[in-house]
Amino acid sequence: MTRARLDDRRTIRRDGVPLHIEHLMLGPATFESAMALGDGRAFATIVLTGPGAEDAGAAVHPCDPVATGVRQETSGWDGRLIVRCMSPDPAALRRVVISAIVALRGADIPRVWQSDRSAEP
């Protein structure tokens, strides 16, 4: 493959009012630019909304980018929590994302994620 484009739009509404709108567009220039993704080959965004979500970030353990190879940033405000992660290693990213999801849910990862249990932390 020599060219790719991803155009993804997500909207989360609360009582019909947009709470989180995200438009992700990646094209050939994005993949060629060190400013856009740097060495990142995989990235993920976790969004949690609801009463107290802004305080749930304490449950998500910050990962050590040197030890895990994953850069992670967490922001919480007004009933929402956003966790963004990026890594040159997709498997390392998956382990960090699974750990964050388990911490936020207080339960095992969703069934759809359980197809490859060997990649869990």
Side-chain angles (χ1 to χ4, degrees):
M1 178 168 55
T2 58
R3 299 191 93 199
R5 179 185 165 122
L6 170 69
D7 192 352
D8 183 43
R9 296 172 196 247
R10 295 174 186 230
T11 303
I12 298 172
R13 297 177 190 276
R14 181 185 296 154
D15 298 325
V17 177
L19 180 65
H20 179 80
I21 300 172
E22 188 162 350
H23 182 193
L24 173 66
M25 192 166 69
L26 302 175
T30 310
F31 297 109
E32 295 166 2
S33 170
M35 293 295 292
L37 297 174
D39 65 350
R41 291 185 50 224
F43 58 93
T45 301
I46 300 169
V47 179
L48 176 68
T49 64
E54 65 274 14
D55 299 324
V60 178
H61 303 291
C63 61
D64 176 0
V66 174
T68 64
V70 178
R71 292 187 305 271
Q72 171 187 315
E73 295 295 332
T74 304
S75 300
W77 75 101
D78 193 26
R80 63 195 112 176
L81 175 73
I82 313 281
V83 180
R84 296 188 191 273
C85 306
M86 184 168 62
S87 176
D89 179 6
L93 177 74
R94 186 177 192 276
R95 286 189 295 273
V96 167
V97 168
I98 286 172
S99 177
I101 290 172
V102 168
L104 291 171
R105 287 172 47 102
D108 200 4
I109 57 175
R111 188 176 190 111
V112 70
W113 281 61
Q114 295 179 15
S115 62
D116 182 10
R117 304 288 293 196
S118 64
E120 287 185 46

